[in-house]
Amino acid sequence: MVQVSNAVSRWGSSGLACLTGPPDGPPDFSRAEVLARAEQVATAVGGHLGLEVDAATLLAGRAGLLGLTRGGRISAGGGTRLLSARDGWCALTLSRPDDIAAVPALVEVDEVPADPWPVLHQWATTRLVSVIIDRANLLDLPAAGLGEAAPAAPRIQRWGVPGLARGAAGLLVADLSSMWAGPLCGQLLARAGATVVKVESTQRPDGTRAGNREFFDWMNSEKLSYCLDFDHQADELRELLAVADIVIEGSRPAALTRRRLGTDHIAPGTGRIWLRINGYDQYPGRPAFGDDAAVAGGLVGAGPVFCGDAIADPLTGLEAAAALAESLTRGGGELIHVSMAGIAAGYAGLPTTPPVSECPAPPPGAPPSQRRAAELGVDNDAVRCLVAEKRLLSC
């Protein structure tokens, strides 16, 4: 009982209870063991990489920065809703302009009101979850059925030849990911002494640049900024990927393959590691964000309600960092696949606790202030020099 009580207390003090539950009801403590497990993973990551990793801050820090609180069946960030379908629950995310523009096609009408959610709720009640998901996927909308994904630990595949065991310090990391999960993994490597290059497309920079600047700074302040046209400068980007010790990517496989920038086109070399993060390992082209991926894994509070803030994102970033750190101890030479929904499902399988507790549930705190992240492309020349140096060393 002492262990459970401690887990509940930490869940409350972290701000995660404040982020979980109905907006007009008490905070929800039912997923307290999620933080307890994340703390174990954070301790392992910190031990491998030689730094302190605070799991509670990683899981609740964005909400602290943005002043978010629980919304029940509306995600803390506001972009995802739980919809009651004819045979269960599903989540739909409308976080991009293209998502909102696709709603009329989803519900098969000519137009919808400026606030499409009432129409979507009414439409969903007469549809099967499977039908909703299939239609959403056709329109490239992030959607998930509650509990549809099975638990999936990071999947390791041999890629090249292992080298010597090593730490992160001094390694060159090409971080092609965006938003939260991949950038968090890159952030931890940067804190451990790696040179992390944040790679962005001139056509589609990381969407969080246009959002809360403090969050973007938190994830990326210790990285170099390298921005180029993926279509017209693919050869230059390929040179970076060919010399990087670690590559982090969260793109759909087709996006890199058609530019000959995937693992089939980059020589693996000795000891190199390629980390691939996607929403669903079995459906790599399916879009996903942290809240809908959590719902897919069944990681929700009682009700159901959303759990935390886009919780599949930081959990995936933390688990990906653990997989990378362990790969480094084996000498690398590996391709690591991490599924956000699969990770969420693994945490959803942990024992639950009673949702109501007398423990305090203050709002989440913000992480420490960070220096401003580099402006887009400001380090292009420095990165080109790094690539040239690495190529000389490999000759």
Side-chain angles (χ1 to χ4, degrees):
M1 291 298 293
V2 174
Q3 184 177 2
V4 172
S5 176
N6 287 341
V8 168
S9 176
R10 293 197 301 275
W11 180 259
S13 63
S14 70
L16 288 163
C18 181
L19 293 170
T20 309
D24 54 353
D28 186 335
F29 288 80
S30 61
R31 292 296 183 176
E33 290 298 329
V34 168
L35 177 58
R37 168 60 181 162
E39 287 173 333
Q40 295 174 358
V41 178
T43 298
V45 171
H48 282 304
L49 298 181
L51 68 159
E52 292 188 9
V53 182
D54 183 353
T57 298
L58 296 185
L59 269 59
R62 189 184 81 147
L65 286 171
L66 275 59
L68 305 180
T69 188
R70 62 187 178 276
R73 288 173 184 158
I74 301 175
S75 65
T80 309
R81 307 281 176 107
L82 278 164
L83 305 178
S84 177
R86 205 170 89 190
D87 61 340
W89 291 91
C90 62
L92 179 68
T93 297
L94 302 179
S95 63
R96 306 166 295 185
D98 288 350
D99 298 335
I100 297 172
V103 172
L106 177 67
V107 299
E108 299 178 277
V109 299
D110 292 333
E111 59 181 353
V112 296
D115 178 5
W117 288 111
V119 171
L120 286 164
H121 279 284
Q122 183 177 7
W123 172 79
T125 58
T126 61
R127 268 74 179 179
L128 298 173
V129 169
S130 60
V131 172
I132 295 172
I133 303 308
D134 287 345
R135 283 197 60 77
N137 287 341
L138 284 173
L139 296 166
D140 201 35
L141 289 169
L146 177 58
E148 66 168 281
R155 180 165 55 87
I156 311 299
Q157 178 181 339
R158 177 60 60 202
W159 186 61
V161 180
L164 298 174
R166 51 185 174 170
L171 300 184
L172 177 61
V173 179
D175 181 4
L176 281 71
S177 65
S178 61
M179 306 304 284
W180 196 350
L184 170 57
C185 184
Q187 179 225 63
L188 293 171
L189 292 172
R191 286 177 53 198
T195 298
V196 181
V197 178
K198 181 167 184 61
V199 182
E200 296 175 80
S201 162
T202 53
Q203 283 77 30
R204 293 186 65 182
D206 188 332
T208 56
R209 274 192 182 273
N212 182 277
R213 183 69 200 211
E214 289 182 285
F215 175 67
F216 183 81
D217 292 343
W218 180 35
M219 289 294 106
N220 301 291
S221 64
E222 299 181 67
K223 304 174 186 177
L224 301 175
S225 177
Y226 181 58
C227 182
L228 70 171
D229 186 318
F230 283 21
D231 291 316
H232 297 99
Q233 295 175 284
D235 289 343
E236 182 177 330
L237 177 53
R238 193 176 297 109
E239 289 181 0
L240 169 62
L241 302 184
V243 299
D245 299 293
I246 296 173
V247 176
I248 302 171
E249 57 103 343
S251 308
R252 301 182 193 190
L256 294 181
T257 298
R258 72 170 179 264
R259 299 177 174 97
R260 300 185 61 79
L261 296 170
T263 51
D264 291 336
H265 311 104
I266 306 297
T270 300
R272 302 180 68 231
I273 304 170
W274 191 293
L275 171 66
R276 177 173 293 151
I277 297 174
N278 54 32
Y280 303 85
D281 198 19
Q282 68 273 42
Y283 308 113
R286 183 175 167 184
F289 288 90
D291 284 305
D292 52 83
V295 170
L299 185 51
V300 294
V305 295
F306 285 103
C307 177
D309 170 33
I311 197 164
D313 265 313
L315 287 176
T316 300
L318 187 57
E319 291 284 348
L324 270 176
E326 291 169 3
S327 182
L328 287 171
T329 66
R330 294 190 294 267
E334 295 177 338
L335 171 59
I336 304 172
H337 304 262
V338 186
S339 156
M340 292 172 62
I343 293 297
Y347 279 85
L350 295 171
T352 56
T353 57
V356 179
S357 172
E358 295 181 357
C359 290
S369 297
Q370 310 291 319
R371 66 180 177 88
R372 193 172 177 86
E375 296 301 324
L376 189 64
V378 72
D379 298 308
N380 277 15
D381 288 340
V383 172
R384 290 177 183 124
C385 288
L386 280 172
V387 171
E389 291 171 4
K390 288 278 285 187
R391 290 180 66 186
L392 285 174
L393 288 173
S394 63
C395 291

